[in-house]
Amino acid sequence: MPAHVIYARKSTDSEDKQVLSIDSQIAELKAHAVRHGLEVSEVLTEARSAKAPGRPIFGDLMRRVRRGQIEGVLCWKMDRLARNHLDHGAVLQALADGKLKEVITPERVYTSNGNDRFLGNFELGIATKFIDDLRDNVKRGNRARFQQGWPNYRPPAGYLEDRSGPTTVIVKDPVNFDLIRRAWDLLLTGTMKPRQILKILNKDWGYRSRKTPHGGQKPMSFSGLFGLFSKPYYMGVIQLRNGDSYKGAHEPMVTEQEFARAQEILGRPGRPRPVHHEFTFSGMLRCASCGRAMVGEVHVKRSGKRYVYYRCHRRGQDVRCSEPTLPERTFATQIAADLARMTLTPEAAEWIRDNLTRTLEAEGGQLRAVRESAERTLRHVRTEEDTLLSLRLRGSIDDELFERRRVEISGRRAQLEVQLERPAPSVEQLLQRVDAVLAFAEHAPTMFVEGSPVQQRQVLETIGSNY
């Protein structure tokens, strides 16, 4: 037999801040049912926003209405039933078809009568319009924040939200900022895999996530670390899912060059990932005959002595490679000999530094010219943005072309803004880098021969490629 049910809903979103709690709604509606002699067979509750279709309890309610199992619904306000066009139409159509006999609120009863449906349509329309306006206001506010350089989401590890002022800003996490930067440094050496970095970050350095009201204080996960290394946010760019980019107002953790280097390391094609053993030169060597990656193998003799060999990945497959295996010790000896042959003498290093000093001082003007060129390019890109918008407003270009060009231009603008945010290096700073390179060139043979496997790999990564 058809019955009356109570439907109570409250969203956790900001749209329902002033609405009674679900328990209060139920208490008021039960009292209203008693006063009017209505028998309520069931109470349905839902803690979901109604701004989009897909509420499971409401969906089941309307299915039962269409089957003739429910003849009336009691709710606090009409907007508890619907705040989107699809659900709005479903309620009114059920009333018009007589499937739903009445919707009862403490203020009035809505029936299939045309006047009742008109008033119901008016109230539901106001609720839907409220959501539409709220959505537009949120988008407008988000765009304003992006243009100021602040995201509308929680910043990634290493940064915190500072809500002490009138506007929420992003600041460095005093505990985790330096830890995450050190993790970037380990990745940029090219000698450590993300899983190794994760172990050091969590176990050796004691990383724990920011504390939140509902939890936090957890170690970094592997997927979290891997995703962290691909976020442009760390180089000072806010990149949205739709492709838009904005220059962030927060302090970057890495430079553009470091970020690009990290992506190259993470995305290197064909990079072998040993499972059971770590080899000093894994992922660096390729077969000279067929170009396949050289994979490491370890052999332990009866005496317990360990020998490492590298063989072409093709050996052992149907198509065999004619190249023999390469003992790691033999390869290391060859590299050490080459380094000894290429070592710079102190006299040569001093001669190079003197010449570079004169060259850099002479090219100081060129560096300033490069910066001025970037500033001109940025002004041109901003003009392009304005022109593109004008063309769209006049209807000279379609939506597809406008969106594609808009995303492209916003990305260029954000990169230029980040580039110009950092001052150009002075001659003294450039000479410090030169000194570091020359010192490495002088001591590389000793570092390779006497260093650990990690240091040997660092030397090899620095001096060459395509081994």
Side-chain angles (χ1 to χ4, degrees):
M1 180 178 177
H4 283 73
V5 300
I6 288 176
Y7 178 82
R9 180 187 68 81
K10 183 174 175 65
S11 171
T12 56
D13 292 349
S14 58
E15 69 202 50
D16 280 355
K17 282 185 178 178
Q18 306 302 321
V19 175
L20 288 178
S21 68
I22 289 178
D23 290 341
S24 298
Q25 292 178 46
I26 293 171
E28 292 283 346
L29 292 171
K30 283 184 175 180
H32 183 79
V34 170
R35 285 195 298 269
H36 293 80
L38 296 173
E39 184 178 347
V40 175
S41 63
E42 191 175 356
V43 175
L44 305 176
T45 63
E46 193 155 43
R48 291 279 296 268
S49 171
K51 62 187 177 184
R55 288 171 289 153
I57 303 299
F58 176 81
D60 182 62
L61 168 65
M62 296 310 297
R63 280 191 292 272
R64 292 167 63 187
V65 166
R66 289 192 293 271
R67 293 172 190 156
Q69 298 172 353
I70 294 175
E71 68 174 4
V73 176
L74 286 84
C75 59
W76 177 246
K77 297 281 187 183
M78 285 292 278
D79 66 2
R80 297 302 86 201
L81 291 177
R83 271 188 163 178
N84 65 81
H85 297 287
L86 184 62
D87 295 342
H88 173 163
V91 172
L92 292 178
Q93 192 62 47
L95 284 171
D97 294 342
K99 297 287 187 182
L100 184 60
K101 182 180 177 182
E102 56 190 3
V103 175
I104 303 170
T105 71
E107 296 175 352
R108 64 173 296 118
V109 178
Y110 302 88
T111 67
S112 60
N113 178 274
N115 291 330
D116 289 342
R117 285 188 287 111
F118 173 77
L119 290 174
N121 184 41
F122 182 73
E123 287 201 23
L124 290 172
I126 290 176
T128 304
K129 182 66 167 60
F130 172 81
I131 291 297
D132 291 341
D133 291 344
L134 183 63
R135 184 182 296 110
D136 290 341
N137 290 335
V138 168
K139 287 182 178 179
R140 189 181 304 112
N142 285 340
R143 282 196 299 270
R145 275 190 64 81
F146 296 146
Q147 290 164 0
Q148 294 169 4
W150 304 116
N152 66 337
Y153 51 82
R154 280 194 171 183
Y159 294 94
L160 293 174
E161 294 173 307
D162 181 2
R163 302 176 183 270
S164 59
T167 302
T168 301
V169 298
I170 307 303
V171 297
K172 295 196 301 185
D173 185 333
V175 176
N176 289 330
F177 185 89
D178 291 337
L179 294 183
I180 300 298
R181 172 63 223 199
R182 288 165 67 187
W184 277 93
D185 289 334
L186 292 180
L187 177 72
L188 291 169
T189 64
T191 62
M192 301 192 74
K193 298 176 176 61
R195 287 200 182 277
Q196 296 171 305
I197 298 173
L198 181 67
K199 182 178 179 182
I200 293 173
L201 180 64
N202 287 334
K203 294 188 176 180
D204 297 351
W205 298 344
Y207 170 86
R208 293 297 180 268
S209 62
R210 66 170 73 90
K211 184 174 177 57
T212 66
H214 304 291
Q217 294 294 294
K218 295 181 180 179
M220 179 75 71
S221 65
F222 178 71
S223 60
L225 181 67
F226 206 86
L228 178 153
F229 288 139
S230 64
K231 291 183 186 296
Y233 193 91
Y234 286 100
M235 67 170 179
V237 173
I238 299 172
Q239 192 171 72
L240 308 182
R241 290 182 179 179
N242 64 1
D244 286 352
S245 299
Y246 298 87
K247 187 185 87 61
H250 61 282
E251 180 179 336
M253 187 178 290
V254 298
T255 65
E256 289 178 84
Q257 294 76 18
E258 289 173 330
F259 184 79
R261 166 67 175 156
Q263 306 320 299
E264 178 187 346
I265 291 172
L266 292 174
R268 184 176 299 161
R271 186 183 181 91
R273 291 170 171 78
V275 177
H276 300 295
H277 304 283
E278 294 292 340
F279 301 103
T280 304
F281 308 117
S282 62
M284 301 184 67
L285 312 180
R286 290 191 170 273
C287 175
S289 296
C290 63
R292 288 292 190 93
M294 300 281 282
V295 297
E297 287 184 350
V298 61
H299 296 269
V300 181
K301 302 299 183 182
R302 290 183 178 178
S303 60
K305 201 163 186 179
R306 182 177 181 270
Y307 294 90
V308 176
Y309 298 88
Y310 295 90
R311 63 169 178 80
C312 175
H313 194 270
R314 209 171 228 180
R315 287 177 65 88
Q317 298 185 7
D318 295 338
V319 181
R320 294 183 175 275
C321 179
S322 59
E323 292 293 336
T325 56
L326 173 66
E328 185 176 78
R329 184 174 298 176
T330 301
F331 178 70
T333 301
Q334 293 174 1
I335 295 297
D338 285 339
L339 286 172
R341 180 171 51 83
M342 295 184 291
T343 301
L344 281 178
T345 62
E347 294 78 12
E350 186 63 29
W351 181 86
I352 291 173
R353 191 187 191 283
D354 291 341
N355 279 272
L356 282 175
T357 301
R358 289 192 292 270
T359 301
L360 289 174
E361 289 173 347
E363 292 180 353
Q366 294 183 14
L367 293 175
R368 289 190 293 273
V370 168
R371 184 173 182 84
E372 291 172 359
S373 175
E375 291 172 347
R376 286 194 299 272
T377 303
L378 178 58
R379 289 194 294 270
H380 177 69
V381 167
R382 286 172 174 165
T383 302
E384 277 190 88
E385 279 189 311
D386 294 338
T387 303
L388 183 67
L389 180 59
S390 298
L391 290 172
R392 184 67 196 96
L393 292 175
R394 292 200 299 266
S396 301
I397 57 175
D398 58 25
D399 288 339
E400 183 180 354
L401 178 59
F402 171 76
E403 187 64 20
R404 187 168 66 249
R405 289 287 295 143
R406 182 183 64 80
V407 170
E408 175 192 337
I409 292 172
S410 71
R412 287 164 50 203
R413 172 181 47 74
Q415 289 182 354
L416 285 166
E417 288 172 342
V418 170
Q419 176 184 337
L420 291 170
E421 181 75 14
R422 294 189 303 273
S426 64
V427 173
E428 291 74 18
Q429 291 172 323
L430 293 174
L431 285 174
Q432 288 177 0
R433 299 178 190 176
V434 169
D435 289 339
V437 172
L438 293 176
F440 174 82
E442 287 185 62
H443 301 103
T446 304
M447 291 169 58
F448 186 84
V449 172
E450 300 178 359
S452 66
V454 171
Q455 290 173 319
Q456 289 182 327
R457 187 181 179 93
Q458 286 177 325
V459 170
L460 216 57
E461 288 269 7
T462 303
I463 65 171
S465 61
N466 195 28
Y467 289 98

